[in-house]
Amino acid sequence: MVREKVTISTRTLQWKCIKSRDDSKRLYYGRFILSPLMKGQADTIGIAMRRALLGEIEGTRITRAKSENIAHEFSTRAGIQESVHEILINLKEIVLRSNLYGTRDASICVKGPGYVTAQDIILPPSVEIIDNTQHIASLTEPMDLCIELQIERNRGYRKKQPNKIQDGSYPIDAVFMPVRNANHSVHSYGNGNEEQEILFLEIWTDGSLTPKEALHEASRNLINLFIPFLHAEEANLHADEENFHLENNQDKVTLPLFTFQNRLAKLKLRKNQKETTLKYIFIDQSDLTPRIYNCLKRSNIHTLLDLLNKSQEDLMKIQDFRIEDVKHILAILEIEKHFAIDYPF
């Protein structure tokens, strides 16, 4: 591994791109540094930026496809080498760039024999294809292939719903995330008696954004999430403080009865304050798997208090949720550890 020679300024906080490359049309790489930082700040920024890069940036994908005379998703059609399922998978991989809002219609209409690629997609003016060579299907006979497409801009990952087939159209798994991966690392160095840090950020994108653009957009989105706190009025802060003390005097919250209630029964809150603070512990502060986290968020479970107010039966009603996930939540959240914390309120 090649070590970069970095010049550090001890006066002002600065960032710099120290490496960038285009591995292909659909794979960009960038490496950035931010310095000088005080001890602990690099991890704080790095963790927040990685979450923002992977979860807060919007992307554009094909989310639905429709074609006539298709019996089901795993059927085949004479004259087409790929099955319908394989064509849907290929459409899922198409990388698009746009600033559109809502959904837009697109289409493919080609005549065989020949190869169908991304350049055959007829797009609305606000959308562009990053790689025209992406393969969609192979036509082996003189035939017409017409596919109606739906394009959408969103963020995160959306798993297709198997029961959402409408008018012969098929939903497509959509990975809206333009950032394929993001890592951060910390380098510490001494500056007199004070230890300082350098934050290294590595970003891989799918080509719809450059790493620099992704870093800018993630930073802006992250800042926007904190703006409400900056504009909070003093009166509202006092009101919240009064409500907080009022809630501390209320009766204890009744914990739900899970099948593991014997384990929960052994856990006792040391102060009434802790029950109130549970609603200030968000589930993204725990190391949940992306699938479990997304399931909980879709069910409006945002905090630890929201989670503990759900019974096992409630959790099992969540789509794609399993009993193993309930056990996993206990192991990951380390409930005993959360209850043992002495909150400074």
Side-chain angles (χ1 to χ4, degrees):
M1 180 177 179
V2 179
R3 290 182 174 271
E4 299 90 348
K5 185 177 180 181
V6 181
T7 302
I8 302 301
S9 169
T10 58
R11 295 183 179 179
T12 59
L13 193 63
Q14 297 179 343
W15 75 276
K16 181 180 180 181
C17 178
I18 58 176
K19 187 175 183 180
S20 65
R21 66 172 185 263
D22 303 343
D23 293 332
S24 68
K25 290 183 178 180
R26 289 177 282 142
L27 184 58
Y28 289 8
Y29 171 81
R31 183 175 172 86
F32 307 86
I33 62 169
L34 179 67
S35 66
L37 296 165
M38 297 175 63
K39 185 177 181 181
Q41 289 182 336
D43 263 330
T44 300
I45 298 173
I47 293 172
M49 284 303 304
R50 185 177 186 275
R51 284 186 175 274
L53 285 163
L54 295 174
E56 297 299 329
I57 302 179
E58 294 184 342
T60 305
R61 287 295 185 269
I62 298 172
T63 57
R64 187 171 289 273
K66 178 181 179 180
S67 185
E68 296 180 354
N69 303 322
I70 295 179
H72 53 80
E73 180 180 341
F74 297 97
S75 63
T76 58
R77 184 175 171 184
I80 303 179
Q81 182 173 319
E82 292 83 1
S83 67
V84 174
H85 178 71
E86 290 172 326
I87 293 175
L88 294 177
I89 293 297
N90 292 336
L91 290 172
K92 171 186 174 181
E93 299 298 325
I94 301 296
V95 179
L96 304 172
R97 178 187 177 110
S98 78
N99 292 318
L100 64 83
Y101 291 93
T103 60
R104 296 289 189 277
D105 293 328
S107 63
I108 299 173
C109 193
V110 295
K111 186 175 181 64
Y115 295 104
V116 183
T117 62
Q119 69 178 352
D120 296 309
I121 302 176
I122 303 173
L123 294 168
S126 57
V127 184
E128 62 177 299
I129 296 174
I130 299 302
D131 186 0
N132 287 328
T133 66
Q134 286 188 262
H135 180 76
I136 297 176
S138 302
L139 306 184
T140 58
E141 298 178 5
M143 60 172 296
D144 293 327
L145 175 64
C146 293
I147 305 176
E148 298 177 18
L149 303 174
Q150 178 179 285
I151 295 174
E152 183 178 344
R153 180 179 173 87
N154 212 317
R155 67 184 182 89
Y157 172 76
R158 180 192 299 164
K159 184 177 180 182
K160 66 180 181 180
Q161 304 298 323
N163 297 325
K164 293 292 184 179
I165 299 175
Q166 302 172 355
D167 302 326
S169 65
Y170 292 85
I172 299 175
D173 288 338
V175 182
F176 294 105
M177 299 177 290
V179 176
R180 289 188 171 185
N181 195 12
N183 290 328
H184 85 277
S185 57
V186 180
H187 172 70
S188 300
Y189 65 98
N191 184 16
N193 296 326
E194 183 180 0
E195 185 174 329
Q196 294 184 314
E197 297 178 339
I198 310 171
L199 171 65
F200 288 83
L201 275 173
E202 292 183 291
I203 303 172
W204 292 262
T205 68
D206 63 4
S208 61
L209 289 177
T210 65
K212 185 176 179 180
E213 290 173 331
L215 183 61
H216 178 269
E217 187 167 341
S219 301
R220 182 182 60 192
N221 293 341
L222 192 59
I223 291 171
N224 288 340
L225 292 176
F226 290 96
I227 285 179
F229 297 108
L230 298 177
H231 294 288
E233 296 180 2
E234 192 69 24
N236 290 337
L237 292 177
H238 288 307
D240 291 340
E241 188 176 10
E242 291 176 2
N243 291 335
F244 183 82
H245 291 301
L246 181 61
E247 290 175 353
N248 288 339
N249 295 324
Q250 293 177 351
D251 294 335
K252 291 185 177 181
V253 177
T254 302
L255 296 177
L257 297 177
F258 291 88
T259 52
F260 43 79
Q261 74 177 64
N262 290 336
R263 183 180 182 187
L264 288 176
K266 298 177 182 179
L267 305 174
K268 296 183 179 180
L269 298 177
R270 295 180 181 179
K271 300 176 183 179
N272 290 341
Q273 296 173 337
K274 295 182 180 180
E275 297 184 15
T276 303
T277 57
L278 290 178
K279 66 181 180 182
Y280 296 104
I281 303 176
F282 294 90
I283 60 173
D284 61 357
Q285 294 176 253
S286 302
D287 192 20
L288 298 173
T289 65
R291 192 183 67 80
I292 294 178
Y293 173 78
N294 289 331
C295 287
L296 295 177
K297 293 290 285 186
R298 285 198 302 267
S299 301
N300 294 321
I301 299 176
H302 305 290
T303 67
L304 185 58
L305 185 61
D306 295 337
L307 181 59
L308 292 179
N309 280 335
K310 298 291 184 181
S311 66
Q312 175 182 322
E313 290 73 20
D314 293 332
L315 292 179
M316 293 303 296
K317 292 178 182 178
I318 298 176
Q319 187 170 4
D320 301 325
F321 219 73
R322 302 167 300 186
I323 187 63
E324 291 80 6
D325 298 330
V326 177
K327 298 177 181 178
H328 186 70
I329 287 175
L330 266 183
I332 296 299
L333 292 182
E334 298 178 345
I335 293 181
E336 293 91 342
K337 182 178 180 180
H338 284 297
F339 279 96
I341 297 176
D342 288 324
Y343 296 102
F345 293 102

